[in-house]
Structures are given as structure tokens and as C-alpha cells.
Amino acid sequence: MITAWIGDDKRERPLGYKDAAFMLTVPMAARFLYETTSGQPLREIPWERPPGVRANDTGGDLRNTIEAVKAEDEAIAKKRKG
């Protein structure tokens, strides 16, 4: 995983008249990935399920607010206390 960012962290200068950060960072990240992985051998992806992971395991419900995260954490803590 990589992260690419271009810009002025103080927001004092624009990138350019018609530029946007994604127009500059995507090509930069693509060049970086190409250069760093060009000599790597291609390997098959191990599609086997790791031990202990159930076939119907989806990772749980989507929690898209901090309140949902806190509520789930509190419910787990109550279960542990019994």
C-alpha cells in the first residue's frame, strides 16, 4: 500500500490554473509502482481460506459513524463482563 500526496500543506499556493492533486498524484504513484515492481516475479494469489476463517464470515456490519463504533465496542465489553 502506498500513499501519494502533492500540495501545499498550508494552502497558501494553488497547484496550477487547471491542475488538481489527483491529476498529478496518480501518474506519480503509477510511475513509482512501475519502477519498484518491474523486476518482481509474478506469483499466484493464495486463494485458500486461512485456518479459523469461516466461509460465511463477512467481517461484520458496516460502521460508518463514530457512534456506531462506540456502541459496538460497548456491546462487546458488556458481553465480556457477562
Side-chain angles (χ1 to χ4, degrees), residues 63-76:
R63 302 171 303 168
N64 56 4
T65 64
I66 191 65
E67 290 80 15
V69 173
K70 288 179 181 179
E72 186 175 329
D73 289 346
E74 289 171 5
I76 292 170

Side-chain angles (χ1 to χ4, degrees), residues 21-39:
F22 69 88
M23 296 168 69
L24 303 170
T25 55
V26 171
M28 178 185 70
R31 283 192 302 272
F32 170 77
L33 287 172
Y34 177 79
E35 291 293 326
T36 57
T37 61
S38 61

Side-chain angles (χ1 to χ4, degrees), residues 2-22:
I2 66 165
T3 300
W5 182 81
I6 293 178
D8 178 11
D9 59 345
K10 296 181 182 181
R11 299 183 183 197
E12 294 174 352
R13 301 173 301 203
L15 292 173
Y17 179 67
K18 292 186 178 184
D19 290 330
F22 69 88

Side-chain angles (χ1 to χ4, degrees), residues 48-67:
E48 297 85 28
R49 187 175 295 116
V53 176
R54 297 183 307 267
N56 63 349
D57 190 1
T58 61
D61 295 330
L62 176 64
R63 302 171 303 168
N64 56 4
T65 64
I66 191 65
E67 290 80 15

